Every structure is written in structure tokens, then in C-alpha cells.
Amino acid sequence: MLTFNDPKKLQAWSRLRRSKGEKIALIPTMGYLHEGHLSLIALAKKKGAKQIVVSVFVNPVQFGPNEDYDRYPRDEKADFAKCRKAGATAIFFPTPKNMYLDGHSTFVNEESLSQGLCGARRPGHFRGVCTVVAKLFNIVHPHFAVFGQKDYQQAQVIKRMVRDLNFDVEIALAPIVREETGLARSSRNTYLSDVERHDALAISESLFALRRKVRKLGKLPATAVEKEIAGHLVKNDLKPDYVEAVDAETLAKTDTVKPGTAVLVAAYCGNTRLIDNIVL
Ligand code: AMP
């Protein structure tokens, strides 16, 4: 597996691989890799990529001033070993300095899907995400990129950016990988104490309960669903940031929860903000 730090070197390598007719996949991550990330590599393999490039970059531009940029977990050595074992062919560890040159002044703003949900609570977050992903697309010029459904809004925002700006990249979505308990795997789970890890199960529990209910009843009023989930979270010592039923494509709020609806949750477990979702 090759290691790159310099965007220009990766760009030159990728251009050469593409010219040989090799199919290139990109998997953008912030590192501290877990089974969720590795499932994206597996999907890239399954889709026939010859070159699988994993980028590991805690992107400062997508963090707010009071967020966890400084304490975000990092372990380059372990990430390298996991990527190699999973079958990635290149790993990209850029630095904030070589990604954002002095005087960097160009940013990408998606102005519709990024407004609500996490976008409303984390001002500037999706501007940072879109900017870094656009840069990675230009550096790697992959045939396709793989994103996880875990970050549902992010995936929809990226798809819209690709459509609106004519990026020549297909977006593949991989399902959420969970621990046996149901907890969605996340690098931030490492912040959780044992008690918090137990409390956090209320999130996936409530989403699975909703799925059972929708299978049985077909349709439910969104306000009642949102209230019930938020209540279950509070009962388990979580602090809901939002619980919203939305149209799975446009992310517009919906009145009725039915098959095809996406229900997105963000909640604080102690100081840790967790997100999860279900598409019914
Ligand atoms: P992150 O390192 O958290 O920025 O995530 C990098 C990519 O991995 C994003 O596309 C995430 O949606 C995806 N991802 C993170 N956690 C999971 C998970 N539990 N299951 C599937 N994909 C995930």
C-alpha cells in the first residue's frame, strides 16, 4: 500500500493510474478507523475498483470553534495497518498546511440540503465538508467515492454538490455498520464512558422500534414519532439535539412517517454528540 502526504504527488499518481484504464475509488475519512470505515473499502472492492484510496484527514475547516477538533482521536499507525489489511491500495495523510495553503480563500457552499439538521446546529460544518471533498475529488479524480449512510445528511449534500458542480464522480452509499448492541460505530464512541455507552443504546433502540411500528401500521404522524423518540432519549439520560422525520431525498420535513421516510437523530450523551438515522 502506498502512502501519500503531498496532494500534488497523489494527483500525479492518480492521473497515471487513470490513464492506464484503472478504476479508482476514493474513501474520505477523518481516521481512527473502525468497521464502519472498513465496510466502505469492502464496497469499493466489490464495485471493482483497482485502486482504493483512503484519505485520513481531520479537516479543521468543518469544525466549529467550540467543537472537538483538538481532541478528535488520531492514530495514523493503526489506520495504516487497518487499511492495508482491508485491501486499500493507497492512503493519503495530508496536513492542514498542505491542504490549505497560506491565504486559502475558496470554499464550496451547498445552500439547500445543508441548512437544517446538523447544518443548523453546526454553522459552517457542511461548507468545510464540501470544500474538503471537492478538493479530494480534484486531487484523486476517482471514478467513484464511497460514503456511509451513518452521515446521512452529509451524503445527500455531497450528492447535490456533485450534481450541481458537474463533478465526474459517482457517489456510492454504504449501510450503517453497528456494534452487536445496535450502537452505530463511530470514532467518537471512544469518548463514551461505560455508562454513557449503555445510555447511547437508546438511540438505535428507538429507531429499530420505529421500524417495527411502521412495518405494522404503515403510516404514523411525524410529530408523534419525533416526540416519542425524544422522550425515550431523555428517559435514558441523553439530550436530544434534534429528532426529525424528513423526505429521504430532499431532507424536507415531512408530516407523515412512512416507508421511504428518513428519521435522523442527533443527541448528546454526556459531552459527546452522537448521530444516527434510519431510512424506513
Ligand atoms: P468519518 O471518519 O467519521 O468522517 O467517516 C468517514 C466515512 O465513513 C463517512 O462517509 C461516514 O459516513 C462513514 N462511516 C462512519 N461511520 C460509519 C458506520 N458506522 N457505518 C458506515 N459508514 C460509516
Side-chain angles (χ1 to χ4, degrees), residues 27-31 33-37 39-40 62 72 146-152 154 174-178 184-188:
I27 300 171
T29 82
M30 296 204 299
L33 303 179
H34 51 67
E35 293 294 327
H37 298 111
S39 77
L40 310 185
Q62 71 190 64
Y72 196 84
V146 190
F147 291 85
Q149 195 196 306
K150 162 81 178 8
D151 298 83
Y152 192 81
Q154 168 174 284
I176 302 177
V177 174
R178 299 177 178 282
R185 290 188 186 270
S186 165
S187 308
R188 289 192 170 97

